[in-house]
Each structure stands twice: as C-alpha cells, then as structure tokens.
Amino acid sequence: MKPITITDVAQHAKVSKSTVSQYLNKRYDYMGESTKLRIEDSINELGYQPNYVARSLKQKSTKTIGVIVANILHNFSTEVSRAIEDACHVDDFHLIVCNADDDPHKEKKYIDMLRAKQVDGIIIFPTGGNIDLYEKMLREEYPVVFVDRSVPGLPVSSIMLKNEKAASMAVQHFITRGYRRIAIMTTTLTRSVTPRIERIEGYKDTLTRYKLPVRDDYINSVPRSDIQMQLDRMLQLDDPPEAILAGNDLTLIEILKYTKQHDIKIPDEIAIIGIDDVSFASFYTPAITTISQPTFEMGKKAAELLLYKIRQQKAEDQHPDYRFEPTLIERDSV
Amino acid sequence: MKPITITDVAQHAKVSKSTVSQYLNKRYDYMGESTKLRIEDSINELGYQPNYVARSLKQKSTKTIGVIVANILHNFSTEVSRAIEDACHVDDFHLIVCNADDDPHKEKKYIDMLRAKQVDGIIIFPTGGNIDLYEKMLREEYPVVFVDRSVPGLPVSSIMLKNEKAASMAVQHFITRGYRRIAIMTTTLTRSVTPRIERIEGYKDTLTRYKLPVRDDYINSVPRSDIQMQLDRMLQLDDPPEAILAGNDLTLIEILKYTKQHDIKIPDEIAIIGIDDVSFASFYTPAITTISQPTFEMGKKAAELLLYKIRQQKAEDQHPDYRFEPTLIERDSV
DNA sequence: CTGAAAGCGCTTACAG
DNA sequence: CTGAAAGCGCTTACAG
C-alpha cells in the first residue's frame, strides 16, 4: 500500500505542494479561507500523515534528543529519564534512551548511532571512558549535557547531587543515633566516578569533623559481585562496623541480601542507610532509611539546559555544575 | 560548523558520490582497490559520518522499531523492552520506547508519532482502547505485534503468558500447603484486559476443580489506589481469606504495604503469592513466593516476529497467540 | 494569496 | 570499474 504524500494532498486539494506545506506549518498569514478548508478536507479524506524523516532532512532538526545512561539498573537512571521525557514533551521533543551498561565502547557506539540519526542533542551519564569523543562533540559545537557525573576540564556543566552533603547527612544521622563505627560501601568501576569519590570524601570529612577515626578497612569500593564477600571480611574484623552507608541502590540491595542470608538484625546488629531511594524502602522490614535525590528536578534541569543549548546552537556553557539537595528520609534501619 | 557530507568525501577522494555510496554499502564487487583505499582515507581524514535521516528517506526504512508499553511501572514492561532491544540489536535495529500510561489517548499519540517518524514496525502492549486504529494499521499492512494482551478479532498474534496456568499454579500451591480460603486481587482498568480476565478464570477453575467454593467477595479488581481499602474490607469478613494471590507486581507491592502497616504476619496470618517476579522477592522478609514470566524469551519472540513481518512486508499472521510457561518460585510467603 | 524551483544528503538503476 | 541523473518527501526563499 502506497503511503499518502504531500503531493497527493496537493493534487486532491488542487493547490501546490508549497501551499499544503504552509498549511501544515500553520503559516496561515496569507492563506485564503477556502484554500485552507480544501486542504483540511483533503488531509482528512486521504488520511495523510506528514513524513517526519523528510521534514527532518530539510530542516536539519529531528526534534529528538538522545539519553545515554551509564547503567539502567540504577533506579536513578530510570527516574531521571522519565523526568527528561516529561520536560521534553512540553516542547514536542522525543527521546531515544540508550543504556551504556558501564561500558565506554557501548557508550561510543550509542553516541555515534544517535548522531548518525541526527538527534539534536544528547544527555549523557558519562562512563568517563570517552573523553576525546566528548571533546570532539564540543569542538563540533554539538549540544551535550552531563548528568550524575562530571567530566573535569570540559566546559559542559553536569547535573549532580550534592554528593558530599548526602554522605555527610547519612554519617551525621548515624552519629546522632549513637553509632561510632561507621563503614561505607560503594560499587567500584575501573574509571573514577564523581559520585563515588565525592561520597567517600563527604564520609571521611564528616567523621573527621566529629573526631572519629577514618579507617581504611571501613571504606569499601568493590565490584557488585564482590560485595557479599567484602561484607564477610569486614564483619569479621575484631571491631566490626555497627553501621554501613550504602553508596547506591544496587549496593543496598546486595547488603540486604547478605543480612537476610546471614540473619543479621537491622538495626540492632547493623544499622543501614542507603543513598538513592528504592521502591521497597517503605515496606521492607525494617523500613530502610535513605537519602533520596530529587530525580525529577534533576531530569527537568538536564532537559531544559539541553533544549536551551539546542536553541542557541551552542555547546559550551560557563556555568559551574548544577548541584541538587539530598533529602534524608528517616525510617527504621538506623 | 558545517557537517561533512558524502559530497565532501567524494570531492576529497576524487570520485563520484555514487562510488562513495557503493563503498559505504559495502558493494565492493567492481571497485578498484585503489579507489577503495582513497575513499577509506578520505572518510577517516574528514571524520565523515553518514546521515541516517537522508538514507532512511531514500530507502524508506529507518531500521528503527517502536515499542509502546501499556504501563512502564510494571517490571514486566521494562524487562520485556530490554529483551526486545537485545534481539533487535543483532539485526542492527534501534528502539524507541514509549509509555502509554494505560491511557488510550497517549497510546494513539505515540502510534501516530512513531509512524510519522517512519519506524518500520511497532510492538504494542495494547491498552485496548484503540481498536479502530489497530485495524487501520492492519489495512495499511503496517507491521505490528502485540505483547501481554491480545486484541480479539485481529489477525495479529500476541506474545502472552499462559495466564490461566499461572493462576492455577498459584492456587494449587496454596491448596497443597493447606490453605482453603484463597482470594485474588488484581488492579482494574476501565477496559477489559486479557491477563486479568484469564488469571481470574484460572483461579476460579482451579478452585472448582478442587471442589472449593468460588466466592465473589474473594475476587477483587480495583484501581491501585483502592487496594488498601479493599484489603481492609476483605479481612474484616467473618471468614477472611487465609491466602491472597496478587495479580501483578504493583498489586503485590500494595499488599505488602498493607501487611507491613497493619503488622500482619506473612505467611502465618496471610499467605501470599505474586504473579511477576519483583526485585526484592528473594531478600524480603519473608522471601516472597512468586510466579515468574519468561520475560526474556517473550521479548525475544516479539522482536523476531516483528522483524519477520518487516522483512516479509506483511502485517497479518495466521498463527494463534504465542503462549509462554510461567514458573513457580517457592520462597517463604506461603 | 499561491506556485515553480531548488535543495536537504543520501541511493539506485542505468549507461558507458 | 565508475559517474550522471533522478528521486525519496518535505520546506523555503522568491516571484508574480
């Protein structure tokens, strides 16, 4: 079945393609009322749908943006993506979401694919493994915004949590409740990743501020698959920690699996706070105290910033990173 | 900064655009070795990236498919989408995922948008509210595959769970463990939705088969926001149920919130099975017994079927629906 | 107020 | 073995 094109509509309405195009783009300024009506009728009668691909080619804009998340398994990624989608929707922009799976090769593949598809800009949760590619995009004045992690040296702002503050709030909460031996557990990646570094920094600073010792054997950064083992090691220390700060949702899940399996009571035997709110936090037993990120605002800001760059046709921005406030949600795991 | 086009490459390599295009499409059959090398060098030197939009316009194929899930909040949707993505990746097809949010208007909007963007086919988790639109697509021989829910009367197969069997397995498991007063709770929608209907059917049949009474006041289909209230009502019956089958993940979550809040012991005071595996099932206390769907296989089959239709340029298929096996994962909530 | 013509960046028969 | 030309379905100055 042959699709209806603008030519068919023009013939049917007995006007030129140009006039139909004017109509489609709502340039009614000089259009006769009867012409307008004839075109409208023809469109309905033929069931005409404009071909965006053709339009995009001519206009050099697809009204589509790409989002590449570092790892879709983090709840944070999904929530931010959804907020980005909502914000784009207002301006009639569409989204293509890709998952780099913490792999710079995949990230590069997706960047290339999205650019070949001519998306108007990309929001990246950077793996950190493609610095020269990010630089190249910038040289080509291609609109990019970073989320969750920053890329030092690039004049592109990143939308991030106040990570140090988040860790600090958690540690302070532990301290207030009387805990002194406080550990932190994060997942590790081969590349250095802003949130992890800053959260550990905030953790250390806060301990120091409260004159508590900073112990290396309480600071863990291991691959997700090794978390259970690492907990084993840490809890067998002579003076094991009484509290653990989970650096993100996946880490928290591994810790809960461990405590469940070894029948360790929370918070009596070990207190827990997780950064990132998880779906089951409120109805887990015990309900889990978390530090949540304002994912909705962060996604919105990322979208707005990217759309702004797209409109201004600029890639750089002089603004420092945008930092968002963490929120402590007190529940029963501390 | 002006992007590099095939014309630039042709000039730089001192050949025609046609030849460059042949090269790009790996039609090397009659191409001189030196020509090939010159083109390759020019591409690298200029950093040329083909424009897929232009290619798509000419080839009338975007190598992209759309996925419209009824409600992204169901874990099932996310997992199936990911499986579809993996399967498409093999054939170098890309994905645009949209969330209809159980709203037929949004579903229609997304179908129109995806077709305007000329995606080669769409996988739909149908809301059921756009039958005429589905029919129109079929008339236009547009490739479509349904997932999770079927649309009666349309010669388009749907990829579904053996829903009756899933409910039946759950009920049998309850019965084997000695439970007799078994209820079912599902979310309701204004439109009738295959899984819900079939699961209730399977539930009833199994009770009947075991000569247990089928009680209307044990069968609940209410909006998500009313689940808590409904549980209240049901548990205040003179002879309240001893076991509840949760029709999907969101229902299960509402039930767990309720039991937590009212301090109801699982499984001692109420036993629970959820259809759909949830992330926290294994480390919840108690670990939740679930019936899981083979989401990976289902997504794979959906993708394969759609890609097949796209290649054959056909929309109909005579095959009955594809049905997949549920799996009972015994844990501690029964 | 409307239409003819050029052009977006590719691909593809076809000619030589 | 390679190139000239037409065309995919739109939009956009420009002419009248």
Side-chain angles (χ1 to χ4, degrees):
Chain A
M1 175 142 169
K2 242 176 112 280
I4 310 295
T5 71
I6 198 171
T7 311
D8 301 318
V9 177
Q11 281 172 0
H12 191 273
K14 302 203 192 317
V15 294
S16 75
K17 291 191 301 175
S18 325
T19 307
V20 179
S21 178
Q22 310 277 24
Y23 173 87
L24 291 173
N25 293 288
K26 305 205 198 309
R27 296 183 180 307
Y28 302 135
D29 314 8
Y30 301 104
M31 197 172 294
E33 195 58 30
S34 74
T35 317
K36 201 161 30 178
L37 282 172
R38 271 212 318 288
I39 295 176
E40 199 175 314
D41 287 348
S42 300
I43 287 176
N44 290 330
E45 212 166 305
L46 299 173
Y48 168 71
Q49 295 271 62
N51 178 331
Y52 284 8
V53 171
R55 168 184 295 177
S56 297
L57 177 59
K58 181 66 188 176
Q59 298 201 143
K60 293 171 167 307
S61 157
T62 51
K63 293 271 261 174
T64 302
I65 70 167
V67 176
I68 304 179
V69 303
N71 186 338
I72 193 82
L73 294 176
H74 289 291
N75 192 35
F76 175 75
S77 314
T78 319
E79 291 192 10
V80 173
S81 304
R82 230 168 284 161
I84 293 172
E85 174 141 39
D86 287 351
C88 285
H89 189 254
V90 180
D91 295 82
D92 229 19
F93 267 75
H94 303 129
L95 228 64
I96 301 183
V97 180
C98 310
N99 173 24
D101 215 5
D102 284 327
D103 175 354
H105 291 101
K106 280 201 190 176
E107 181 185 40
K108 174 170 169 27
K109 212 198 64 191
Y110 280 125
I111 291 176
D112 288 346
M113 182 273 274
L114 289 169
R115 296 204 55 188
K117 276 180 170 296
Q118 312 297 116
V119 301
D120 296 342
I122 309 185
I123 293 174
I124 306 181
F125 297 45
T127 62
N130 284 306
I131 308 288
D132 21 333
L133 182 52
Y134 308 148
E135 281 170 351
K136 175 165 168 276
M137 290 195 276
L138 210 59
R139 275 199 308 278
E140 293 168 358
E141 285 163 42
Y142 187 76
V144 172
V145 167
F146 292 125
V147 172
D148 191 45
R149 307 161 177 191
S150 71
V151 180
L154 283 197
V156 171
S157 36
S158 179
I159 312 297
M160 290 187 288
L161 183 70
K162 289 186 180 167
N163 286 303
E164 300 203 12
K165 179 165 180 187
S168 183
M169 286 169 78
V171 173
Q172 282 186 58
H173 187 61
F174 280 136
I175 293 175
T176 310
R177 294 294 175 96
Y179 297 93
R180 290 297 173 268
R181 296 205 306 276
I182 302 164
I184 184 168
M185 172 78 71
T186 68
T187 41
T188 192
L189 297 168
T190 45
R191 288 157 304 286
S192 69
V193 171
T194 326
R196 178 168 65 85
I197 295 172
E198 293 180 347
R199 288 172 194 179
I200 290 180
E201 218 42 58
Y203 159 87
K204 286 183 185 173
D205 286 357
T206 312
L207 287 181
T208 307
R209 191 141 41 84
Y210 281 85
K211 314 245 186 288
L212 291 172
V214 172
R215 301 177 42 163
D216 280 349
D217 51 0
Y218 279 6
I219 301 177
N220 309 273
S221 289
V222 296
R224 186 177 179 186
S225 53
D226 292 353
I227 291 180
Q228 311 265 348
M229 229 177 54
Q230 190 72 359
L231 286 166
D232 240 358
R233 185 198 61 68
M234 197 164 56
L235 295 178
Q236 275 164 29
L237 290 172
D238 288 341
D239 40 3
E242 313 152 319
I244 304 182
L245 171 57
N248 61 44
D249 53 352
L250 299 182
T251 308
L252 174 63
I253 287 175
E254 292 303 318
I255 295 175
L256 295 178
K257 282 185 187 165
Y258 183 90
T259 54
K260 164 93 182 168
Q261 196 180 326
H262 296 266
D263 207 19
I264 298 172
K265 299 279 171 278
I266 304 171
D268 299 345
E269 300 176 53
I270 194 99
I272 290 178
I273 295 180
I275 296 182
D276 287 335
D277 211 17
V278 289
S279 65
F280 52 85
S282 70
F283 58 90
Y284 195 78
T285 303
I288 308 291
T289 296
T290 57
I291 307 276
S292 80
Q293 306 195 43
T295 50
F296 185 80
E297 287 75 24
M298 293 171 79
K300 183 155 179 264
K301 172 56 86 180
E304 285 171 356
L305 186 53
L306 188 70
L307 292 179
Y308 175 80
K309 288 186 179 187
I310 290 171
R311 296 218 176 78
Q312 304 299 314
Q313 307 225 53
K314 55 186 265 185
E316 298 200 9
D317 58 65
Q318 302 316 325
H319 194 285
D321 295 327
Y322 291 83
R323 292 286 186 169
F324 286 74
E325 291 292 336
T327 309
L328 173 70
I329 305 178
E330 287 191 40
R331 288 191 275 242
D332 314 320
S333 64
V334 177
Chain B
M1 176 145 168
K2 242 175 111 279
I4 309 295
T5 72
I6 198 170
T7 310
D8 302 317
V9 177
Q11 281 172 359
H12 190 274
K14 303 200 190 320
V15 294
S16 75
K17 291 191 301 175
S18 325
T19 307
V20 177
S21 179
Q22 309 279 22
Y23 173 87
L24 291 172
N25 292 287
K26 304 205 200 312
R27 296 182 183 299
Y28 302 135
D29 313 10
Y30 300 104
M31 197 172 295
E33 195 57 31
S34 73
T35 318
K36 201 162 23 180
L37 282 172
R38 269 209 323 284
I39 296 175
E40 199 175 316
D41 287 348
S42 301
I43 288 176
N44 290 330
E45 213 166 305
L46 300 172
Y48 169 69
Q49 295 270 62
N51 178 330
Y52 284 9
V53 171
R55 170 184 294 177
S56 298
L57 177 60
K58 180 65 187 174
Q59 297 199 145
K60 294 173 166 304
S61 158
T62 50
K63 292 273 262 174
T64 302
I65 69 168
V67 176
I68 304 178
V69 302
N71 186 338
I72 193 83
L73 293 177
H74 289 291
N75 192 35
F76 176 75
S77 313
T78 319
E79 291 192 11
V80 173
S81 303
R82 230 167 282 162
I84 293 171
E85 174 141 40
D86 287 350
C88 285
H89 189 253
V90 180
D91 294 82
D92 229 19
F93 267 76
H94 304 129
L95 229 64
I96 301 183
V97 180
C98 311
N99 173 24
D101 217 4
D102 284 326
D103 175 354
H105 291 102
K106 281 200 190 177
E107 180 184 41
K108 174 169 168 30
K109 212 199 64 188
Y110 280 124
I111 291 175
D112 289 345
M113 181 272 276
L114 289 169
R115 295 203 57 186
K117 275 181 171 294
Q118 312 296 116
V119 302
D120 295 343
I122 308 185
I123 293 174
I124 306 180
F125 296 44
T127 60
N130 285 307
I131 309 287
D132 22 331
L133 182 52
Y134 310 148
E135 280 169 353
K136 175 164 169 277
M137 289 194 276
L138 211 58
R139 276 201 306 279
E140 293 169 358
E141 285 162 42
Y142 188 75
V144 172
V145 166
F146 291 126
V147 172
D148 192 45
R149 307 162 176 189
S150 71
V151 181
L154 282 197
V156 171
S157 31
S158 179
I159 312 297
M160 289 189 288
L161 184 69
K162 289 184 179 169
N163 286 304
E164 300 204 11
K165 180 166 179 186
S168 183
M169 285 168 77
V171 173
Q172 282 186 58
H173 187 61
F174 280 136
I175 294 175
T176 310
R177 295 293 176 96
Y179 297 93
R180 291 295 174 270
R181 299 206 303 277
I182 302 163
I184 184 168
M185 173 76 73
T186 69
T187 42
T188 193
L189 297 168
T190 44
R191 288 157 304 287
S192 69
V193 171
T194 327
R196 178 168 66 86
I197 295 172
E198 293 181 348
R199 288 171 194 180
I200 290 180
E201 219 39 60
Y203 158 87
K204 287 184 184 170
D205 286 357
T206 311
L207 287 180
T208 307
R209 192 140 39 84
Y210 281 85
K211 314 245 186 288
L212 292 171
V214 172
R215 301 177 43 160
D216 280 349
D217 52 1
Y218 280 5
I219 302 177
N220 309 274
S221 289
V222 297
R224 186 176 179 186
S225 53
D226 293 352
I227 291 180
Q228 312 264 348
M229 229 178 53
Q230 189 72 358
L231 285 166
D232 241 0
R233 184 201 60 68
M234 197 165 55
L235 294 177
Q236 277 165 26
L237 290 173
D238 288 340
D239 40 4
E242 314 152 319
I244 304 182
L245 171 57
N248 60 45
D249 52 353
L250 299 182
T251 310
L252 174 64
I253 286 175
E254 292 303 319
I255 295 176
L256 294 179
K257 282 184 186 164
Y258 182 89
T259 54
K260 163 96 183 168
Q261 197 181 325
H262 296 265
D263 207 20
I264 298 171
K265 299 280 171 277
I266 304 171
D268 299 346
E269 301 176 55
I270 193 98
I272 290 178
I273 295 180
I275 296 183
D276 288 335
D277 211 17
V278 288
S279 65
F280 53 84
S282 69
F283 58 90
Y284 196 77
T285 302
I288 308 289
T289 297
T290 58
I291 308 276
S292 80
Q293 306 196 42
T295 50
F296 186 81
E297 286 76 24
M298 293 171 80
K300 184 155 179 262
K301 171 57 84 180
E304 286 170 356
L305 186 54
L306 188 70
L307 292 180
Y308 175 80
K309 288 186 179 187
I310 289 171
R311 295 216 176 79
Q312 304 299 313
Q313 308 225 53
K314 54 186 268 186
E316 299 202 7
D317 59 64
Q318 301 316 324
H319 195 285
D321 295 327
Y322 291 83
R323 291 286 187 168
F324 286 74
E325 291 292 337
T327 309
L328 174 69
I329 305 179
E330 288 191 38
R331 287 191 276 241
D332 313 321
S333 64
V334 176

